[in-house]
Amino acid sequence: MNDKPPATQAADPALQALRAEIDALDDAMHDLLMRRAGVVARMAASRAKTGVGSPLRPGREAAVLRRLLARHSGALSRGAVVRIWRHIFMAHTAIQGAFTAAVAASGEAAQTLALAREHFGTATPLTPFASPAQALAALSAGKASVAVLPAPTGEGEGAWWQSLEAPRLSVVARLPFVADAAHADAALVIAPVPADASGEDRSLLRLEGSADATRESFARVLTEAGLAGRILSLVRQGGRSLALAEIDAFIAAGDPRLVGLKAVLLGAYAVPIAGDLP
């Protein structure tokens, strides 16, 4: 049997030229990746000298992705661009130090593990935990770089946001960053660093009120403070009420609009971007 490819295919000059062009592009992309890694290594050395903490910058990553997608065109999908750069981000984060994630991934939160894997890449060690409290405990003990928890929904008593130790721990990202019909579930990333602004963000506040406070009364408090947003959840806890509010802006610690409010800033995250059109 003759296993050689047809002579016409082997000798096709147009195909050979395209393959040569792809080889040259691969080399060029590899050169750029190595250059990028070199810059990241210099940043890591600078952080070590100055004592600057975690290299995690979800807001910066989101801003980069928005910039790239704004200039993107051609056959490569938007989702593919995001996945490629997410792998680049995490590979270069690893250059600056070990990075692991504690994930609340049991019961109704099972999808959280898949969201974490998609966002942080296949090379990042993920440790599943039975509850958000256990994942947060691992983060607090320094056994993980971040915790990935299911996004709060409904009026669940004892939901993790009610006792989040802010500002020591902060919400810094929302998953998935690419929003489409295939991702109905959502998760939040918690880290021992403040959230960083991406240019288009939402912030989370934990508001405290009287035992008979309502969603409407909490919403009025936000409006009077000049904060545009919505109440995501309301729970009764002893003789008080706690509300989780999502604000349509990046709020930094010390924001004057928080003065006088019984509010705790829980963090912020970049507004998700649209995926590919169907």
Side-chain angles (χ1 to χ4, degrees):
M1 178 182 291
N2 184 359
D3 293 329
K4 292 183 178 180
T8 54
Q9 178 179 339
D12 186 346
L15 180 60
Q16 295 294 345
L18 290 173
R19 286 175 174 169
E21 185 176 357
I22 288 175
D23 288 344
L25 291 170
D26 285 341
D27 289 346
M29 289 190 293
H30 187 210
D31 287 340
L32 291 174
L33 283 174
M34 290 188 290
R35 283 180 56 189
R36 192 184 195 280
V39 174
V40 170
R42 295 201 301 274
M43 291 175 61
S46 176
R47 285 194 175 93
K49 291 178 181 178
T50 59
V52 176
S54 170
L56 186 67
R57 293 293 181 273
R60 160 73 174 160
E61 293 172 358
V64 170
L65 289 173
R66 290 198 189 107
R67 175 174 58 81
L68 293 176
L69 291 177
R71 67 193 294 276
H72 183 64
S73 63
L76 189 65
S77 71
R78 290 165 58 86
V81 171
V82 171
R83 286 190 292 275
I84 290 168
W85 256 265
R86 285 299 322 159
H87 280 283
I88 292 173
F89 290 151
M90 294 315 303
H92 289 177
T93 296
I95 293 173
Q96 302 176 72
F99 187 91
T100 62
V103 185
S106 66
E108 295 181 357
Q111 180 64 15
T112 306
L113 189 61
L115 292 174
R117 176 58 68 206
E118 181 176 333
H119 188 78
F120 292 114
T122 55
T124 299
L126 304 182
T127 303
F129 288 87
S131 69
Q134 291 179 2
L136 285 173
L139 176 62
S140 294
K143 297 178 180 178
S145 307
V146 297
V148 184
L149 312 179
T153 57
E155 313 294 327
E157 187 69 32
W160 60 263
W161 62 268
Q162 298 174 44
S163 56
L164 183 66
E165 296 180 50
R168 189 176 68 84
L169 301 178
S170 300
V171 175
V172 297
R174 182 182 179 91
L175 312 183
F177 183 58
V178 177
D180 55 40
H183 295 92
D185 297 297
L188 295 179
V189 179
I190 316 299
V193 296
D196 59 322
S198 74
E200 185 179 357
D201 304 274
R202 294 183 183 131
S203 300
L204 294 176
L205 296 177
R206 183 173 63 220
L207 303 173
E208 181 179 342
S210 61
D212 59 352
T214 63
R215 283 176 172 264
E216 290 73 21
S217 65
F218 277 119
R220 284 196 298 272
V221 168
L222 293 179
T223 300
E224 291 168 1
L227 296 168
R230 63 208 59 82
I231 304 300
L232 299 179
S233 185
L234 173 67
V235 297
R236 310 296 180 186
Q237 192 180 83
R240 62 176 183 167
S241 298
L242 294 177
L244 178 64
E246 183 181 61
I247 309 302
D248 297 325
F250 182 86
I251 299 177
D255 190 300
R257 292 171 294 181
L258 301 182
V259 175
L261 294 183
K262 287 187 175 181
V264 176
L265 178 61
L266 300 184
Y269 60 83
V271 176
I273 59 175
D276 297 295
L277 295 175

